[in-house]
């Protein structure tokens, strides 16, 4: 019997993407012990943040928040990506992967723009008419797990609403929350992976997938539709969540558009 290493059975683009992601993860751990935060450098920051750099549009998708995060992403990339690469070939698969990854962060950034613009408008309204009510609503919406000190400060202003000394500190607090929101990095290959999942569902809609929970078989097309609807619901129901649900949807959306474009312009798509 001839033994062949597992990596030899993986098509080149999928294999190299997995290797690059793992190397980035290892480098993140090593440099963290040296006091260097690679997430701050390579994770995607909001364009209005002082920490934003153009290369982050690409590099964010090779960074991950931990072992579980990268494990599930790389497993999905291996499971579905190798099938797509064998159908499309390395060049088209890599193009698809990168476009869906960039599309994912584009939609995520667009949603962040609306959220941050709303925060800036509220801050402007507060500057025009300072009040504990505006500050309280702002904190509850944008800093739901606020510290005891923040809650005590807001309650103290409620107890003494005519004290103008609270207004300046309240404005500083709102601006700090805004900056914190803008400085939160986005990392992970999930957007591109969701694009791959979408593509698999479109190319092989009737393939049976076995879910881990619940342990039942389901056709790929229904799994993709269901997953997309769940992401949409969570994105709308949990604004400000640590999970970038709209980035996942962005990967699926751009993947759908790209596949439709390829189908329209190539008779030999499959």
């Amino acid at each position: 019997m001839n033994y062949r290493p597992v990596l030899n059975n993986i098509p080149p683009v999928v294999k190299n993407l997995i290797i690059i992601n793992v190397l980035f993860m290892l480098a993140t751990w090593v440099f963290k012990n040296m006091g260097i935060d690679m997430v701050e450098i390579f994770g995607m920051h909001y364009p209005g943040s002082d920490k934003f750099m153009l290369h982050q549009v690409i590099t964010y998708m090779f960074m991950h928040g931990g072992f579980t995060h990268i494990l599930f992403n790389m497993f999905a990339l291996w499971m579905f990506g190798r099938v797509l690469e064998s159908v499309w070939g390395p060049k088209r698969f890599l193009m698809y992967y990168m476009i869906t990854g960039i599309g994912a962060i584009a939609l995520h950034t667009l949603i962040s723009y609306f959220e941050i613009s709303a925060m800036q408008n509220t801050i402007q309204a507060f500057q025009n008419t300072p009040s504990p009510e505006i500050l309280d609503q702002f904190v509850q919406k944008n800093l739901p797990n606020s510290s005891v000190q923040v809650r005590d400060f807001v309650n103290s202003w409620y107890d003494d609403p005519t004290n103008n000394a609270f207004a300046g500190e309240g404005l500083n607090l709102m601006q700090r929350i805004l900056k914190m929101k803008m400085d939160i990095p986005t990392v992970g290959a999930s957007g591109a992976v969701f694009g791959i999942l979408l593509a698999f569902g479109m190319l092989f809609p009737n393939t049976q997938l076995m879910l881990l929970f619940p342990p039942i078989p389901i056709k790929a097309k229904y799994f993709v539709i269901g997953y997309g609807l769940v992401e949409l619901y969570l994105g709308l129901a949990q604004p400000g969540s640590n999970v970038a649900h709209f980035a996942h949807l962005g990967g699926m959306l751009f993947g759908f558009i790209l596949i439709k474009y390829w189908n329209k312009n190539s008779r030999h798509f499959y």
Side-chain angles (χ1 to χ4, degrees):
M1 178 181 295
N2 293 325
Y3 171 75
R4 299 179 63 190
V6 174
L7 285 179
N8 287 348
N9 298 322
I10 305 177
V13 173
V14 170
K15 178 172 67 176
N16 288 321
L17 286 173
I18 292 174
I19 291 173
I20 292 170
N21 276 276
V22 171
L23 289 176
F24 265 85
M25 186 82 263
L26 294 175
T28 300
W29 292 338
V30 171
F31 282 106
K32 184 176 182 180
N33 293 329
M34 300 169 59
I36 300 174
D37 190 348
M38 286 186 62
V39 173
E40 292 293 299
I41 301 171
F42 296 111
M44 177 66 187
H45 292 82
Y46 184 72
S49 169
D50 295 335
K51 299 180 180 181
F52 170 74
M53 290 175 278
L54 189 59
H55 67 259
Q56 295 170 353
V57 175
I58 301 294
T59 57
Y60 91 95
M61 68 180 81
F62 298 104
M63 303 294 297
H64 286 85
F67 178 75
T68 303
H69 191 198
I70 191 173
L71 176 64
F72 279 100
N73 275 344
M74 294 304 99
F75 176 76
L77 173 59
W78 167 79
M79 184 173 182
F80 300 106
R82 58 181 178 158
V83 178
L84 295 177
E85 186 175 348
S86 67
V87 174
W88 287 338
K91 183 178 180 180
R92 176 162 284 192
F93 175 77
L94 180 59
M95 181 189 301
Y96 182 87
Y97 184 89
M98 298 304 296
I99 289 175
T100 52
I102 294 172
I105 204 61
L107 183 60
H108 174 73
T109 301
L110 178 63
I111 298 300
S112 296
Y113 167 77
F114 291 128
E115 294 176 351
I116 289 173
S117 294
M119 294 174 69
Q120 292 171 328
N121 291 337
T122 302
I123 291 175
Q124 183 62 51
F126 180 86
Q127 287 179 300
N128 295 333
T129 312
S131 72
E133 290 81 9
I134 295 178
L135 176 62
D136 192 13
Q137 292 173 6
F138 185 90
V139 170
Q140 288 187 42
K141 181 177 181 180
N142 300 292
L143 194 67
N145 298 318
S146 57
S147 65
V148 175
Q149 290 83 355
V150 170
R151 297 307 316 162
D152 287 344
F153 171 77
V154 175
N155 292 332
S156 296
W157 195 3
Y158 271 120
D159 295 336
D160 189 9
T162 60
N163 189 339
N164 293 328
F166 286 102
E169 185 59 34
L171 178 60
N172 289 334
L173 173 61
M174 295 173 76
Q175 290 174 336
R176 291 199 301 271
I177 295 174
L178 174 63
K179 186 179 187 307
M180 181 182 66
K181 174 73 172 180
M182 294 172 67
D183 287 347
I184 296 175
T186 302
V187 297
S190 301
V193 167
F194 269 74
I196 288 173
L197 183 64
L198 182 279
F200 186 89
M202 291 182 69
L203 269 66
F204 308 101
N206 295 315
T207 298
Q208 293 281 353
L209 302 177
M210 178 60 71
L211 302 181
L212 294 177
F213 183 81
I216 58 173
I218 183 173
K219 289 185 177 180
K221 58 183 177 182
Y222 299 130
F223 176 74
V224 170
I225 293 172
Y227 217 148
L229 290 175
V230 168
E231 287 296 317
L232 178 60
Y233 169 77
L234 293 176
L236 295 173
Q238 300 177 354
S241 169
N242 291 332
V243 179
H245 297 292
F246 282 102
H248 301 167
L249 289 171
M252 299 180 83
L253 174 63
F254 275 75
F256 178 82
I257 294 172
L258 187 56
I259 290 174
K260 286 296 185 181
Y261 173 79
W262 283 342
N263 274 335
K264 182 179 178 180
N265 292 275
S266 176
R267 295 181 180 179
H268 303 290
F269 178 74
Y270 295 104

